[in-house]
Amino acid sequence: MSSDIPKGLMDHAKSRTDAVVEKLQSAMAKIELEIDSNDGIYPVNGGRLSKNEVCRRAKVSPVTLQGPAHRKTTSKTVDEWLQQIRRRMLLAAATVRKTD
């Protein structure tokens, strides 16, 4: 099937996919820095961090992650990152509450 698609079109699609991944990775890195510098609390969006929030920060539509280019790769990577960062946030939030 991909042999019917012109090489230029395939290259363009690949570059768009790569751009989405770069935007998401950059947003996730910024979010981690913000959480680390705010005692484990996400300082934006009322402290709520979700896949939609990551997409908003990356300026990527959440629907993009449901497409065939991202559904089994990028979307799962964001989900795994969210699980990892939420564990760090929960531990930090418990610590913050104890000191009040």
Side-chain angles (χ1 to χ4, degrees):
M1 182 162 88
S2 65
S3 62
D4 296 340
I5 301 172
K7 182 179 178 348
L9 189 58
M10 288 295 291
D11 291 344
H12 177 69
K14 173 95 170 90
S15 70
R16 285 182 43 196
T17 298
D18 292 344
V20 167
V21 171
E22 287 178 28
K23 287 178 182 181
L24 288 166
Q25 288 174 339
S26 176
M28 290 187 297
K30 288 177 186 174
I31 289 169
E32 279 191 63
L33 288 174
E34 290 172 358
I35 290 170
D36 290 342
S37 66
N38 285 288
D39 298 321
I41 298 169
Y42 181 55
V44 183
N45 194 33
R48 293 180 306 273
L49 186 57
S50 65
K51 188 185 287 188
N52 283 346
E53 176 67 5
V54 174
C55 288
R56 184 189 70 77
R57 293 286 303 269
K59 295 181 171 67
V60 171
S61 171
V63 175
T64 301
L65 296 182
Q66 296 172 9
H70 298 286
R71 184 180 316 125
K72 294 181 181 177
T73 55
T74 312
S75 182
K76 290 187 183 215
T77 301
V78 172
D79 286 338
E80 291 167 3
W81 178 82
L82 280 168
Q83 287 178 349
Q84 174 223 353
I85 200 78
R86 283 180 183 145
R87 282 194 293 267
R88 285 175 36 197
M89 288 172 62
L90 288 175
L91 289 174
T95 305
V96 171
R97 276 189 229 113
K98 286 180 186 175
T99 60
D100 285 345

